[in-house]
Amino acid sequence: MAIEHTFSILKPDATRRNLTGAINALIEKAGLRIVAQKRVKMTREQAETFYAVHKARPFFGELVESMIAGPVVVQVLEGENAIKTYRDVLGATDPSKAESGTIRKEHALSVGENSAHGSDAVDTAKIEIGQWFAGNEIVG
Ligand code: IDP
Ligand code: MG
């Protein structure tokens, strides 16, 4: 299996409730290594660009508002099969459908405020990492 990098965001509902450490513990327990991490406040433009793929969806406005409602923690995670591994750790988008022990089952409030983001494929991971980190900020 290949060593991959994936992009993660601990969303405003997680920072607001002081859950960044609890979520990082689940990430590390799954064997993923946090090789870059910073706390930032997204601008509206950054949130709209990040989620541009969802622009036509009815929840887009709500999604952008929720992403700029408070600080986020952006991260790069490294590990074998990191993209799928992290999606498994996140659990289903709707926390009521997520398996127990996953980040979203244990911590999310709703489908909108679902605590964390993870890239869904190799190409999107690369684009998302490039939006938030310079190469010299990623230290494995
Ligand atoms: P993902 O985060 O599991 O990849 P996506 O379908 O890519 O899920 O949706 C991106 C984000 O948009 C979700 O994490 C969630 O915050 C939000 N979202 C998705 N579907 C809905 C919805 O039906 N209502 C409100 N927000 C939604
Ligand atoms: Mg997605």
Side-chain angles (χ1 to χ4, degrees):
M1 253 184 273
I3 296 289
E4 289 176 341
H5 281 169
T6 192
F7 180 71
S8 164
I9 304 175
L10 310 187
K11 297 185 179 184
D13 73 90
T15 60
R16 184 175 78 235
R17 292 176 293 145
N18 220 17
L19 290 172
T20 62
I23 294 173
N24 278 351
L26 292 176
I27 289 170
E28 292 182 334
K29 197 173 108 190
L32 294 166
R33 186 172 294 272
I34 301 165
V35 294
Q37 176 169 255
K38 59 190 173 190
R39 185 172 172 110
V40 296
K41 179 81 163 54
M42 279 194 187
T43 64
R44 181 176 298 278
E45 191 186 16
Q46 285 171 327
E48 286 175 353
T49 300
F50 184 77
Y51 276 124
V53 66
H54 294 305
K55 206 165 188 140
R57 309 286 287 276
F59 57 83
F60 182 70
E62 180 191 329
L63 174 59
V64 169
E65 293 301 330
S66 76
M67 293 304 288
I68 64 175
V72 300
V73 177
V74 290
Q75 305 174 309
V76 180
L77 310 181
E78 178 182 271
E80 279 193 7
N81 221 4
I83 294 162
K84 183 182 185 305
T85 299
Y86 189 45
R87 294 292 302 196
D88 290 345
V89 175
L90 280 175
T93 306
D94 179 349
S96 70
K97 297 184 181 138
E99 285 184 35
S100 67
T102 61
I103 290 167
R104 286 164 168 171
K105 185 65 175 188
E106 300 306 317
H107 298 299
L109 296 174
S110 64
V111 63
E113 290 194 305
N114 60 3
S115 302
H117 163 86
S119 307
D120 58 12
V122 172
D123 54 341
T124 47
K126 199 168 181 180
I127 292 166
E128 291 172 2
I129 290 168
Q131 285 175 357
W132 292 98
F133 290 100
N136 64 3
E137 293 180 298
I138 301 165
V139 184

